[in-house]
mmCIF file of all heavy atoms in Angstrom:
data_model
loop_
_atom_site.group_PDB
_atom_site.id
_atom_site.type_symbol
_atom_site.label_atom_id
_atom_site.label_comp_id
_atom_site.label_asym_id
_atom_site.label_seq_id
_atom_site.Cartn_x
_atom_site.Cartn_y
_atom_site.Cartn_z
ATOM 1 N N HIS A 2 0.831 -1.207 0.000
ATOM 2 C CA HIS A 2 0.000 0.000 0.000
ATOM 3 C C HIS A 2 0.868 1.260 0.000
ATOM 4 O O HIS A 2 0.414 2.332 0.412
ATOM 5 C CB HIS A 2 -0.938 -0.003 1.204
ATOM 6 C CG HIS A 2 -2.036 -1.019 1.118
ATOM 7 N ND1 HIS A 2 -3.249 -0.770 0.513
ATOM 8 C CD2 HIS A 2 -2.088 -2.317 1.531
ATOM 9 C CE1 HIS A 2 -4.019 -1.861 0.579
ATOM 10 N NE2 HIS A 2 -3.332 -2.809 1.194
ATOM 11 N N CYS A 3 2.104 1.106 -0.429
ATOM 12 C CA CYS A 3 3.030 2.231 -0.604
ATOM 13 C C CYS A 3 3.386 2.925 0.710
ATOM 14 O O CYS A 3 3.780 4.090 0.711
ATOM 15 C CB CYS A 3 2.471 3.240 -1.608
ATOM 16 S SG CYS A 3 3.750 4.080 -2.564
ATOM 17 N N TRP A 4 3.217 2.223 1.849
ATOM 18 C CA TRP A 4 3.604 2.702 3.168
ATOM 19 C C TRP A 4 2.728 3.841 3.692
ATOM 20 O O TRP A 4 2.474 3.929 4.879
ATOM 21 C CB TRP A 4 5.071 3.147 3.198
ATOM 22 C CG TRP A 4 6.041 2.095 2.783
ATOM 23 C CD1 TRP A 4 6.710 2.011 1.605
ATOM 24 C CD2 TRP A 4 6.453 0.950 3.543
ATOM 25 N NE1 TRP A 4 7.506 0.895 1.567
ATOM 26 C CE2 TRP A 4 7.367 0.217 2.753
ATOM 27 C CE3 TRP A 4 6.126 0.474 4.813
ATOM 28 C CZ2 TRP A 4 7.967 -0.951 3.194
ATOM 29 C CZ3 TRP A 4 6.725 -0.708 5.250
ATOM 30 C CH2 TRP A 4 7.637 -1.397 4.440
ATOM 31 N N LEU A 5 2.305 4.716 2.818
ATOM 32 C CA LEU A 5 1.513 5.861 3.257
ATOM 33 C C LEU A 5 0.567 6.268 2.135
ATOM 34 O O LEU A 5 0.734 5.876 0.975
ATOM 35 C CB LEU A 5 2.414 7.026 3.661
ATOM 36 C CG LEU A 5 3.454 7.470 2.616
ATOM 37 C CD1 LEU A 5 2.946 8.662 1.818
ATOM 38 C CD2 LEU A 5 4.768 7.815 3.309
ATOM 39 N N GLU A 6 -0.426 7.044 2.475
ATOM 40 C CA GLU A 6 -1.415 7.452 1.483
ATOM 41 C C GLU A 6 -2.056 8.765 1.902
ATOM 42 O O GLU A 6 -1.933 9.206 3.046
ATOM 43 C CB GLU A 6 -2.482 6.364 1.320
ATOM 44 C CG GLU A 6 -3.157 5.976 2.626
ATOM 45 C CD GLU A 6 -3.925 4.672 2.517
ATOM 46 O OE1 GLU A 6 -5.101 4.742 2.123
ATOM 47 O OE2 GLU A 6 -3.345 3.605 2.829
ATOM 48 N N GLY A 7 -2.740 9.377 0.983
ATOM 49 C CA GLY A 7 -3.440 10.599 1.299
ATOM 50 C C GLY A 7 -4.895 10.318 1.643
ATOM 51 O O GLY A 7 -5.461 9.300 1.257
ATOM 52 N N SER A 8 -5.492 11.218 2.384
ATOM 53 C CA SER A 8 -6.923 11.157 2.664
ATOM 54 C C SER A 8 -7.645 11.910 1.539
ATOM 55 O O SER A 8 -7.000 12.549 0.688
ATOM 56 C CB SER A 8 -7.216 11.812 4.005
ATOM 57 O OG SER A 8 -6.991 13.218 3.908
ATOM 58 N N PRO A 9 -8.975 11.886 1.496
ATOM 59 C CA PRO A 9 -9.690 12.649 0.477
ATOM 60 C C PRO A 9 -9.401 14.153 0.518
ATOM 61 O O PRO A 9 -9.582 14.848 -0.477
ATOM 62 C CB PRO A 9 -11.165 12.362 0.801
ATOM 63 C CG PRO A 9 -11.145 11.012 1.439
ATOM 64 C CD PRO A 9 -9.880 10.992 2.253
ATOM 65 N N GLN A 10 -8.953 14.653 1.671
ATOM 66 C CA GLN A 10 -8.677 16.089 1.790
ATOM 67 C C GLN A 10 -7.233 16.462 1.476
ATOM 68 O O GLN A 10 -6.903 17.646 1.329
ATOM 69 C CB GLN A 10 -8.989 16.565 3.220
ATOM 70 C CG GLN A 10 -10.433 16.380 3.653
ATOM 71 C CD GLN A 10 -10.726 14.976 4.146
ATOM 72 O OE1 GLN A 10 -9.832 14.303 4.666
ATOM 73 N NE2 GLN A 10 -11.961 14.516 3.983
ATOM 74 N N THR A 11 -6.349 15.459 1.378
ATOM 75 C CA THR A 11 -4.906 15.741 1.325
ATOM 76 C C THR A 11 -4.508 16.607 0.146
ATOM 77 O O THR A 11 -3.774 17.592 0.297
ATOM 78 C CB THR A 11 -4.109 14.433 1.321
ATOM 79 O OG1 THR A 11 -4.300 13.771 2.578
ATOM 80 C CG2 THR A 11 -2.629 14.698 1.117
ATOM 81 N N ASN A 12 -4.942 16.262 -1.046
ATOM 82 C CA ASN A 12 -4.490 17.007 -2.221
ATOM 83 C C ASN A 12 -4.864 18.478 -2.132
ATOM 84 O O ASN A 12 -4.036 19.360 -2.401
ATOM 85 C CB ASN A 12 -5.061 16.400 -3.495
ATOM 86 C CG ASN A 12 -4.514 17.075 -4.742
ATOM 87 O OD1 ASN A 12 -3.320 17.041 -5.006
ATOM 88 N ND2 ASN A 12 -5.383 17.714 -5.504
ATOM 89 N N ALA A 13 -6.096 18.768 -1.742
ATOM 90 C CA ALA A 13 -6.526 20.170 -1.630
ATOM 91 C C ALA A 13 -5.732 20.902 -0.554
ATOM 92 O O ALA A 13 -5.371 22.084 -0.730
ATOM 93 C CB ALA A 13 -8.022 20.232 -1.324
ATOM 94 N N LEU A 14 -5.437 20.229 0.551
ATOM 95 C CA LEU A 14 -4.675 20.857 1.624
ATOM 96 C C LEU A 14 -3.237 21.142 1.181
ATOM 97 O O LEU A 14 -2.673 22.197 1.498
ATOM 98 C CB LEU A 14 -4.678 19.960 2.864
ATOM 99 C CG LEU A 14 -6.017 19.847 3.589
ATOM 100 C CD1 LEU A 14 -5.971 18.735 4.630
ATOM 101 C CD2 LEU A 14 -6.382 21.187 4.251
ATOM 102 N N VAL A 15 -2.644 20.200 0.441
ATOM 103 C CA VAL A 15 -1.284 20.416 -0.075
ATOM 104 C C VAL A 15 -1.269 21.599 -1.040
ATOM 105 O O VAL A 15 -0.402 22.481 -0.967
ATOM 106 C CB VAL A 15 -0.754 19.141 -0.755
ATOM 107 C CG1 VAL A 15 0.530 19.445 -1.531
ATOM 108 C CG2 VAL A 15 -0.493 18.051 0.270
ATOM 109 N N GLN A 16 -2.220 21.631 -1.967
ATOM 110 C CA GLN A 16 -2.258 22.712 -2.944
ATOM 111 C C GLN A 16 -2.485 24.063 -2.275
ATOM 112 O O GLN A 16 -1.902 25.069 -2.688
ATOM 113 C CB GLN A 16 -3.352 22.438 -3.981
ATOM 114 C CG GLN A 16 -3.114 21.212 -4.841
ATOM 115 C CD GLN A 16 -1.776 21.253 -5.552
ATOM 116 O OE1 GLN A 16 -1.387 22.276 -6.113
ATOM 117 N NE2 GLN A 16 -1.060 20.135 -5.525
ATOM 118 N N ALA A 17 -3.303 24.083 -1.247
ATOM 119 C CA ALA A 17 -3.535 25.334 -0.524
ATOM 120 C C ALA A 17 -2.273 25.794 0.193
ATOM 121 O O ALA A 17 -1.956 26.994 0.210
ATOM 122 C CB ALA A 17 -4.676 25.149 0.467
ATOM 123 N N ALA A 18 -1.553 24.855 0.780
ATOM 124 C CA ALA A 18 -0.310 25.203 1.471
ATOM 125 C C ALA A 18 0.727 25.739 0.494
ATOM 126 O O ALA A 18 1.438 26.712 0.778
ATOM 127 C CB ALA A 18 0.230 23.980 2.207
ATOM 128 N N LEU A 19 0.811 25.108 -0.681
ATOM 129 C CA LEU A 19 1.757 25.574 -1.691
ATOM 130 C C LEU A 19 1.369 26.956 -2.204
ATOM 131 O O LEU A 19 2.217 27.835 -2.358
ATOM 132 C CB LEU A 19 1.802 24.575 -2.850
ATOM 133 C CG LEU A 19 2.442 23.222 -2.544
ATOM 134 C CD1 LEU A 19 2.167 22.240 -3.670
ATOM 135 C CD2 LEU A 19 3.945 23.371 -2.334
ATOM 136 N N ALA A 20 0.089 27.149 -2.473
ATOM 137 C CA ALA A 20 -0.368 28.437 -2.989
ATOM 138 C C ALA A 20 -0.092 29.560 -2.006
ATOM 139 O O ALA A 20 0.215 30.697 -2.394
ATOM 140 C CB ALA A 20 -1.856 28.362 -3.308
ATOM 141 N N ALA A 21 -0.177 29.257 -0.713
ATOM 142 C CA ALA A 21 0.038 30.280 0.301
ATOM 143 C C ALA A 21 1.505 30.620 0.498
ATOM 144 O O ALA A 21 1.848 31.743 0.867
ATOM 145 C CB ALA A 21 -0.565 29.825 1.627
ATOM 146 N N SER A 22 2.380 29.646 0.270
ATOM 147 C CA SER A 22 3.792 29.834 0.616
ATOM 148 C C SER A 22 4.728 29.861 -0.585
ATOM 149 O O SER A 22 5.650 30.670 -0.643
ATOM 150 C CB SER A 22 4.243 28.724 1.579
ATOM 151 O OG SER A 22 3.449 28.711 2.731
ATOM 152 N N VAL A 23 4.525 28.949 -1.541
ATOM 153 C CA VAL A 23 5.424 28.856 -2.701
ATOM 154 C C VAL A 23 4.586 28.651 -3.972
ATOM 155 O O VAL A 23 4.516 27.556 -4.520
ATOM 156 C CB VAL A 23 6.445 27.706 -2.545
ATOM 157 C CG1 VAL A 23 7.594 28.097 -1.665
ATOM 158 C CG2 VAL A 23 5.773 26.443 -1.996
ATOM 159 N N PRO A 24 3.931 29.707 -4.450
ATOM 160 C CA PRO A 24 3.032 29.556 -5.593
ATOM 161 C C PRO A 24 3.714 29.088 -6.878
ATOM 162 O O PRO A 24 3.061 28.538 -7.753
ATOM 163 C CB PRO A 24 2.446 30.964 -5.764
ATOM 164 C CG PRO A 24 3.402 31.876 -5.072
ATOM 165 C CD PRO A 24 3.962 31.083 -3.946
ATOM 166 N N THR A 25 5.039 29.307 -6.977
ATOM 167 C CA THR A 25 5.779 28.822 -8.141
ATOM 168 C C THR A 25 6.724 27.719 -7.687
ATOM 169 O O THR A 25 7.651 27.965 -6.922
ATOM 170 C CB THR A 25 6.588 29.955 -8.797
ATOM 171 O OG1 THR A 25 5.688 30.998 -9.194
ATOM 172 C CG2 THR A 25 7.327 29.436 -10.016
ATOM 173 N N TYR A 26 6.453 26.498 -8.125
ATOM 174 C CA TYR A 26 7.291 25.366 -7.728
ATOM 175 C C TYR A 26 7.293 24.331 -8.844
ATOM 176 O O TYR A 26 6.404 24.316 -9.705
ATOM 177 C CB TYR A 26 6.780 24.734 -6.431
ATOM 178 C CG TYR A 26 5.446 24.035 -6.574
ATOM 179 C CD1 TYR A 26 5.382 22.662 -6.834
ATOM 180 C CD2 TYR A 26 4.250 24.735 -6.480
ATOM 181 C CE1 TYR A 26 4.156 22.029 -6.998
ATOM 182 C CE2 TYR A 26 3.037 24.113 -6.631
ATOM 183 C CZ TYR A 26 2.987 22.757 -6.887
ATOM 184 O OH TYR A 26 1.785 22.132 -7.057
ATOM 185 N N ASP A 27 8.301 23.477 -8.841
ATOM 186 C CA ASP A 27 8.404 22.407 -9.828
ATOM 187 C C ASP A 27 8.048 21.056 -9.225
ATOM 188 O O ASP A 27 7.389 20.234 -9.860
ATOM 189 C CB ASP A 27 9.823 22.363 -10.415
ATOM 190 C CG ASP A 27 10.178 23.656 -11.122
ATOM 191 O OD1 ASP A 27 9.485 23.990 -12.093
ATOM 192 O OD2 ASP A 27 11.121 24.337 -10.696
ATOM 193 N N ASN A 28 8.517 20.800 -8.020
ATOM 194 C CA ASN A 28 8.219 19.566 -7.305
ATOM 195 C C ASN A 28 8.136 19.896 -5.823
ATOM 196 O O ASN A 28 8.664 20.917 -5.377
ATOM 197 C CB ASN A 28 9.311 18.503 -7.510
ATOM 198 C CG ASN A 28 9.485 18.120 -8.958
ATOM 199 O OD1 ASN A 28 10.283 18.729 -9.649
ATOM 200 N ND2 ASN A 28 8.753 17.121 -9.411
ATOM 201 N N TYR A 29 7.505 19.039 -5.071
ATOM 202 C CA TYR A 29 7.520 19.221 -3.628
ATOM 203 C C TYR A 29 7.754 17.878 -2.949
ATOM 204 O O TYR A 29 7.504 16.823 -3.519
ATOM 205 C CB TYR A 29 6.226 19.868 -3.119
ATOM 206 C CG TYR A 29 4.977 19.023 -3.253
ATOM 207 C CD1 TYR A 29 4.686 18.002 -2.342
ATOM 208 C CD2 TYR A 29 4.065 19.268 -4.270
ATOM 209 C CE1 TYR A 29 3.538 17.244 -2.451
ATOM 210 C CE2 TYR A 29 2.901 18.510 -4.384
ATOM 211 C CZ TYR A 29 2.640 17.504 -3.484
ATOM 212 O OH TYR A 29 1.506 16.752 -3.597
ATOM 213 N N ALA A 30 8.234 17.928 -1.736
ATOM 214 C CA ALA A 30 8.450 16.734 -0.915
ATOM 215 C C ALA A 30 7.730 16.929 0.409
ATOM 216 O O ALA A 30 7.714 18.028 0.960
ATOM 217 C CB ALA A 30 9.939 16.496 -0.680
ATOM 218 N N VAL A 31 7.123 15.857 0.906
ATOM 219 C CA VAL A 31 6.428 15.876 2.189
ATOM 220 C C VAL A 31 7.147 14.941 3.149
ATOM 221 O O VAL A 31 7.439 13.793 2.790
ATOM 222 C CB VAL A 31 4.958 15.439 2.039
ATOM 223 C CG1 VAL A 31 4.283 15.349 3.407
ATOM 224 C CG2 VAL A 31 4.204 16.402 1.142
ATOM 225 N N ILE A 32 7.444 15.412 4.350
ATOM 226 C CA ILE A 32 8.035 14.580 5.390
ATOM 227 C C ILE A 32 6.992 14.374 6.481
ATOM 228 O O ILE A 32 6.520 15.336 7.090
ATOM 229 C CB ILE A 32 9.300 15.227 5.979
ATOM 230 C CG1 ILE A 32 10.334 15.469 4.872
ATOM 231 C CG2 ILE A 32 9.890 14.333 7.063
ATOM 232 C CD1 ILE A 32 11.551 16.235 5.339
ATOM 233 N N LEU A 33 6.629 13.125 6.711
ATOM 234 C CA LEU A 33 5.619 12.804 7.715
ATOM 235 C C LEU A 33 6.256 12.661 9.091
ATOM 236 O O LEU A 33 7.334 12.076 9.230
ATOM 237 C CB LEU A 33 4.906 11.507 7.354
ATOM 238 C CG LEU A 33 3.747 11.611 6.347
ATOM 239 C CD1 LEU A 33 4.260 12.023 4.974
ATOM 240 C CD2 LEU A 33 3.015 10.288 6.248
ATOM 241 N N ASN A 34 5.594 13.168 10.101
ATOM 242 C CA ASN A 34 6.061 13.088 11.483
ATOM 243 C C ASN A 34 5.721 11.700 12.040
ATOM 244 O O ASN A 34 4.820 11.539 12.860
ATOM 245 C CB ASN A 34 5.398 14.197 12.319
ATOM 246 C CG ASN A 34 5.896 14.220 13.750
ATOM 247 O OD1 ASN A 34 6.948 13.673 14.074
ATOM 248 N ND2 ASN A 34 5.134 14.854 14.616
ATOM 249 N N GLU A 35 6.478 10.704 11.561
ATOM 250 C CA GLU A 35 6.198 9.298 11.867
ATOM 251 C C GLU A 35 7.498 8.588 12.188
ATOM 252 O O GLU A 35 8.490 8.736 11.473
ATOM 253 C CB GLU A 35 5.506 8.639 10.666
ATOM 254 C CG GLU A 35 5.389 7.128 10.714
ATOM 255 C CD GLU A 35 4.591 6.635 11.917
ATOM 256 O OE1 GLU A 35 3.500 7.182 12.183
ATOM 257 O OE2 GLU A 35 5.073 5.706 12.577
ATOM 258 N N ASP A 36 7.501 7.795 13.274
ATOM 259 C CA ASP A 36 8.711 7.134 13.737
ATOM 260 C C ASP A 36 8.944 5.765 13.110
ATOM 261 O O ASP A 36 9.884 5.068 13.492
ATOM 262 C CB ASP A 36 8.678 6.987 15.260
ATOM 263 C CG ASP A 36 8.847 8.337 15.958
ATOM 264 O OD1 ASP A 36 9.514 9.209 15.375
ATOM 265 O OD2 ASP A 36 8.303 8.511 17.064
ATOM 266 N N ARG A 37 8.098 5.366 12.174
ATOM 267 C CA ARG A 37 8.354 4.154 11.405
ATOM 268 C C ARG A 37 8.759 4.531 9.985
ATOM 269 O O ARG A 37 8.434 5.614 9.500
ATOM 270 C CB ARG A 37 7.113 3.253 11.380
ATOM 271 C CG ARG A 37 6.807 2.596 12.730
ATOM 272 C CD ARG A 37 5.600 1.680 12.622
ATOM 273 N NE ARG A 37 4.373 2.446 12.456
ATOM 274 C CZ ARG A 37 3.211 1.903 12.082
ATOM 275 N NH1 ARG A 37 3.145 0.602 11.810
ATOM 276 N NH2 ARG A 37 2.137 2.660 11.977
ATOM 277 N N GLY A 38 9.483 3.639 9.323
ATOM 278 C CA GLY A 38 10.016 3.953 8.009
ATOM 279 C C GLY A 38 9.008 3.751 6.903
ATOM 280 O O GLY A 38 8.069 2.968 7.017
ATOM 281 N N GLY A 39 9.228 4.449 5.774
ATOM 282 C CA GLY A 39 8.394 4.275 4.604
ATOM 283 C C GLY A 39 8.416 5.499 3.718
ATOM 284 O O GLY A 39 8.586 6.625 4.192
ATOM 285 N N GLY A 40 8.249 5.267 2.412
ATOM 286 C CA GLY A 40 8.204 6.372 1.471
ATOM 287 C C GLY A 40 7.421 5.981 0.237
ATOM 288 O O GLY A 40 7.295 4.803 -0.086
ATOM 289 N N CYS A 41 6.895 6.984 -0.458
ATOM 290 C CA CYS A 41 6.109 6.726 -1.658
ATOM 291 C C CYS A 41 6.119 7.980 -2.516
ATOM 292 O O CYS A 41 6.237 9.099 -1.991
ATOM 293 C CB CYS A 41 4.675 6.347 -1.283
ATOM 294 S SG CYS A 41 3.712 5.662 -2.665
#
């Protein structure tokens, strides 16, 4: 299951955060506050 996944709200929340802080971007990376390993 790719270790992690988004909720139905995740994409809109990410886009809103980007629009507020870095409206011009090429790629973004998310670091989860989680003590177990995994990436996707």
Side-chain angles (χ1 to χ4, degrees):
H2 289 272
C3 212
W4 303 105
L5 53 97
E6 55 195 273
S8 69
Q10 299 83 29
T11 294
N12 185 62
L14 290 169
V15 169
Q16 295 305 315
L19 290 168
S22 303
V23 280
T25 301
Y26 68 94
D27 299 299
N28 300 90
Y29 67 79
V31 175
I32 302 174
L33 277 66
N34 183 19
E35 169 60 47
D36 289 330
R37 289 182 289 167
C41 192

